[in-house]
Amino acid sequence: MSMKEQLQYLDRLYDFNSTRPTELEKRNALLKEMFAEIGAGALIMPGITIGDHVVVGAGSVVTKDLPSNVIAVGNPCRVLREIGDHEREYYFKDRRIDYARLEDEKREAESFWENNQ
């Protein structure tokens, strides 16, 4: 990855960090562009590109580029599997993501910020 590319990614991160909690649509759009979950203690070697919606396991050593929509773990880091429908529906084993509750919490947060500005 060139210095120019790294600066572009840092600019996107800066854009996200400078948004307000009430700017949910803007924040969500930015997150969709730059989402990856990196586990604690993971090492990513210089020049490595990580795709969108990637989960890198804790302690992994990433020595090669990772494609989008995968779970990757290990030393050296290898793709374990693609992120499938199960991961989009469940956050842990058989524990379903309650999207209705998330929407309620989102509305509560929006209301809080509107009333406290």
Side-chain angles (χ1 to χ4, degrees):
M1 180 183 311
S2 70
M3 182 61 83
K4 183 178 178 182
E5 289 174 311
Q6 290 180 21
L7 290 173
Q8 288 173 338
Y9 290 125
L10 288 174
D11 282 346
R12 300 307 289 158
L13 182 60
Y14 180 82
D15 290 344
F16 178 81
N17 288 335
S18 66
T19 59
R20 297 177 185 273
T22 55
E23 298 176 298
L24 293 175
E25 287 181 27
K26 183 176 181 181
R27 292 173 70 94
N28 287 338
L30 288 168
L31 276 176
K32 286 179 183 177
E33 290 177 24
M34 56 186 242
F35 178 75
E37 186 174 331
I38 311 298
L43 300 174
I44 301 169
M45 299 298 107
I48 298 301
T49 300
I50 296 177
D52 295 328
H53 305 285
V54 172
V55 177
V56 177
S60 295
V61 179
V62 184
T63 59
K64 295 182 180 177
D65 293 347
L66 296 174
S68 296
N69 300 308
V70 297
I71 298 171
V73 298
N75 179 7
C77 189
R78 304 247 189 256
V79 173
L80 180 65
R81 61 186 158 87
E82 289 188 15
I83 294 176
D85 293 335
H86 186 269
E87 286 83 11
R88 296 183 210 307
E89 189 173 346
Y90 297 91
Y91 67 91
F92 180 75
K93 294 187 179 180
D94 62 347
R95 296 182 184 174
R96 189 180 301 267
I97 298 169
D98 187 352
Y99 287 104
R101 180 177 174 192
L102 292 175
E103 286 297 319
D104 290 343
E105 290 176 2
K106 177 182 167 183
R107 279 191 292 279
E108 287 177 20
E110 289 172 344
S111 174
F112 174 82
W113 286 107
E114 287 174 5
N115 296 327
N116 292 295
Q117 287 187 4

